Amino acid sequence: MERNKIRERLTLKPFGLEYIDQFNELLRYVFQVTNSDIQQSGYEDGEIVKSKRPILKNAEVIGWFNEDQLISQLCIYPCQVNIHGKIFSMGGVTGVGTYPEYANLGLMNDLIKSGLQIMKDKGQWISYLYPYSIPYYRRKGWEIMSDHLTFTIKDSQIPKNVGVKGFAERLPVTDKDVIAVYDKFARNNHGALIRGKQEWEEYWRWENEDERTAAVYYDKDDVPQGYILYWIEEDIFHIKDIIYLNQEARVGLWNFVYAHYSMVDEVQGNIYKNDPLHFLLDDGQIKETIEPYYMARIVDVTEFLNNFPFKESDIFKPFHFVVSDSIAEWNNGVFGLVKNDEGKLCSTNETVGKAVYLDIQTLTTMLMSYRSPSYLNKIERIKAESDTLEILEQIIPDNQPYFSDYF
């Protein structure tokens, strides 16, 4: 049968729990998740399907069907994230996959278009995803917004014990103080996911949390100020994540790591912010790697600009973005930036001031402060005059994005 005739037989529609088995089967096939992978994560085969039920119940899931057979799918988790100190509704795109015999029919392109419309209708002005292919998702309007750093420290390079007024205590990773510290951290760190019960379950989805331990640092008033999630295996101290609300907590947590000096040969860990560790160490000659982690996409330019927490600037003059978006047609065109009667920057469809030419993915990574306007102009991702670039540098907060989750 001709491929265009195959397309005519297919139907795109939303679906729910009635297709959970097919949803899971498609994911396992596309991402080659084996029974061994599931068991190593602490699940039995049937449990992982059961654990997805509340997610599918709360999410928007759409797919292509050949009669009653699910053959391509996309899932949107309703999330909240911190964008420069302001909480935004975010559409977390996941569960993306198509059986290979249905590839190159444009099915995923249409699913993404439908997904963006769903997010727009729900007030999710921004979307995150973990890319299986950065070039593919760039073509769909997403751009890199965060990094994942890994490091290896020899036992002799672990920071030596420094006196602090508080103490660290070993606790289960599900302890209420771990939850409380992360929530405070996320509400004060740009890019971070606000985690509820479902988000914490996803955080541990592919790891066995029963084999992980939390070390929580308490200050002199017994207030939790940071934590390390870790495990020790084959003489290596593994750090899944390290969170601290102040520098005292950072020092106190590294004191805890140093207490294991005689037990381990090295420390291996993760950092989910472009904030390399070596500068903080006496012996900074350590091994560090960096790779792009999550991608983001502005879903609705007008609404995102109207809600974005721009900084005040004495040099501000109205200007306009000229945005191109190959997928979401409502983002194509002119978006002026002016001050309203209250002095707040907001969007207008008028061509005010000078122009800034860029595509949707470049606008996203710039407003997420992953890359600066001047850098993006230097590499010719932005076309704008120098005085307008200076305004952009002043009004966009320069907070580094942090994101340590996976969905």
Side-chain angles (χ1 to χ4, degrees), residues 125-325:
W125 312 134
I126 191 164
S127 171
Y128 286 11
L129 59 77
Y130 180 78
Y132 68 82
S133 166
I134 288 176
Y136 177 83
Y137 283 110
R138 273 182 168 155
R139 292 194 297 271
K140 305 304 179 185
W142 277 262
E143 187 52 274
I144 301 165
M145 56 76 65
S146 73
D147 292 325
H148 175 201
L149 284 74
T150 58
F151 61 85
T152 300
I153 304 175
K154 294 182 290 189
D155 55 357
S156 60
Q157 296 173 310
I158 301 173
K160 302 298 188 289
N161 192 76
V162 177
V164 290
K165 296 180 179 179
F167 65 97
E169 181 178 353
R170 288 184 298 115
L171 294 167
V173 296
T174 55
D175 188 88
K176 62 180 178 57
D177 285 344
V178 173
I179 308 298
V181 166
Y182 176 79
D183 187 67
K184 193 169 184 179
F185 176 88
R187 293 179 186 278
N188 285 279
N189 277 266
H190 164 57
L193 180 72
I194 307 301
R195 291 185 198 146
K197 183 175 183 292
Q198 179 175 301
E199 287 76 20
W200 274 106
E201 289 175 354
E202 280 300 291
Y203 181 74
W204 292 109
R205 175 73 61 198
W206 297 106
E207 290 192 55
N208 189 346
E209 63 264 43
D210 293 338
E211 297 179 358
R212 308 293 185 250
T213 303
V216 179
Y217 179 81
Y218 295 87
D219 64 18
K220 62 182 179 60
D221 298 317
D222 290 339
V223 177
Q225 299 288 356
Y227 64 73
I228 290 178
L229 305 177
Y230 76 96
W231 73 101
I232 300 173
E233 186 176 15
E234 296 181 354
D235 300 323
I236 298 174
F237 192 106
H238 296 270
I239 297 176
K240 174 175 170 61
D241 204 0
I242 179 168
I243 295 289
Y244 46 86
L245 304 179
N246 51 49
Q247 294 304 303
E248 177 190 329
R250 177 181 67 81
V251 172
L253 290 169
W254 278 106
N255 284 350
F256 177 81
V257 178
Y258 182 73
H260 295 78
Y261 174 81
S262 63
M263 298 170 54
V264 300
D265 296 327
E266 62 183 38
V267 178
Q268 295 180 4
N270 302 286
I271 298 173
Y272 292 94
K273 199 171 189 177
N274 193 355
D275 187 17
L277 176 65
H278 64 267
F279 189 74
L280 298 173
L281 304 178
D282 288 338
D283 182 357
Q285 200 166 15
I286 65 172
K287 179 181 178 182
E288 287 184 285
T289 64
I290 181 170
E291 61 180 332
Y293 190 47
Y294 257 66
M295 300 181 81
R297 186 202 209 283
I298 294 173
V299 173
D300 188 310
V301 172
T302 297
E303 294 295 345
F304 192 75
L305 291 177
N306 283 335
N307 287 277
F308 188 82
F310 289 105
K311 292 165 58 180
E312 293 185 5
S313 170
D314 294 334
I315 67 169
F316 177 79
K317 294 179 180 178
F319 65 90
H320 64 279
F321 295 109
V322 181
V323 181
S324 59
D325 188 334

